[in-house]
Amino acid sequence: MNNEILLKNLRNVPDFPIPGIQFKDVTTLFKDPECLRIMVDEIYELYKDKGITKVVGLESRGFVLGAAVALRLGAGFVMCRKPGKLPAQTRKATYMKEYGKDTIEIHDDAITEDDVVLIHDDLLATGGTMAAAYGLVKGFNPKKTFINFIIELAIEGLNGRECFGDDVEITTLMTI
Ligand code: AMP
């Protein structure tokens, strides 16, 4: 899609959080009313006919559009969070990131076998974070699962999409 207004408003922060990382700062898209509307509209259009019943947002930048899109789709919203943040019984997955190791958790009762799930995060880099979330969601055995990102990093050596099989459809609003 690569909407020009989104591309123009996305901030790049060099060497954050460590030297060598070009950090794509989506807060500049969230704070702009037109960008916020465009992103919610684009994701809504992609998934409006898919029968989505739950949107899973990944902490923390995945919460913003995840919740907004869930509202538009008439779906529920589920948080996938960093360790120790969710209060009730959880399931956990540990994975490698572009810069370090991490764990995510989801509530044990977050998803049922009747759900059609859309998992959303801001950015696909190595794919480790989303692959961990996808594994957690698949563990609930939902009817179907979709994946969406605002940004896919098309940098040689990252190959984020290779973490996923053909059984899951992945969409992104921008490829950079
Ligand atoms: P990965 O697991 O490598 O696909 O990394 C994706 C997660 O890390 C997302 O939650 C992003 O918010 C964050 N992330 C990784 N690399 C970047 C980057 N270059 N710019 C912004 N966020 C990033």
Side-chain angles (χ1 to χ4, degrees):
M1 286 183 183
N2 278 15
N3 183 297
E4 274 181 28
I5 298 168
L6 298 184
L7 281 174
K8 199 177 90 199
N9 280 278
L10 178 66
R11 175 161 57 198
N12 186 75
V13 184
D15 300 321
F16 181 88
I18 57 169
I21 300 288
Q22 298 291 327
F23 196 86
K24 306 300 173 197
D25 178 14
V26 292
T27 65
T28 52
L29 303 180
F30 294 155
K31 78 171 178 182
D32 182 278
E34 192 183 7
C35 290
L36 190 58
R37 183 190 55 73
I38 290 168
M39 293 188 292
V40 173
D41 284 352
E42 286 191 356
I43 301 173
Y44 172 73
E45 284 301 320
L46 286 167
Y47 294 100
K48 65 181 180 189
D49 300 323
K50 305 286 191 193
I52 306 289
T53 57
K54 297 260 172 67
V55 178
V56 174
L58 307 196
E59 183 164 357
S60 60
R61 290 176 292 273
F63 292 171
V64 179
L65 295 191
V69 167
L71 190 66
R72 283 286 297 281
L73 290 171
F77 178 68
V78 169
M79 294 177 174
C80 205
R81 297 208 67 181
K82 304 215 164 108
K85 303 276 189 184
L86 289 171
Q89 175 103 22
T90 63
R91 303 176 181 197
K92 303 181 205 325
T94 297
Y95 60 97
M96 293 305 295
K97 288 191 63 160
E98 198 183 357
Y99 33 81
K101 198 171 160 193
D102 226 332
T103 298
I104 49 167
E105 291 188 349
I106 192 166
H107 269 145
D108 221 5
D109 59 358
I111 294 164
T112 73
E113 294 190 354
D114 293 326
D115 280 320
V116 177
V117 180
L118 169 62
I119 317 175
H120 167 80
D121 200 6
D122 65 328
L123 184 136
L124 172 65
T126 65
T129 313
M130 186 55 83
Y134 182 60
L136 284 177
V137 168
K138 287 286 275 185
F140 291 93
N141 204 20
K143 278 187 187 154
K144 194 159 169 68
T145 305
F146 299 89
I147 294 175
N148 168 263
F149 299 93
I150 303 172
I151 300 163
E152 176 174 5
L153 283 188
I155 296 174
E156 218 181 304
L158 276 181
N159 306 323
R161 277 191 189 244
E162 286 177 11
C163 294
F164 306 92
D166 294 338
D167 58 323
V168 61
E169 269 174 46
I170 302 175
T171 62
T172 62
L173 305 188
M174 286 183 270
T175 304
I176 300 174

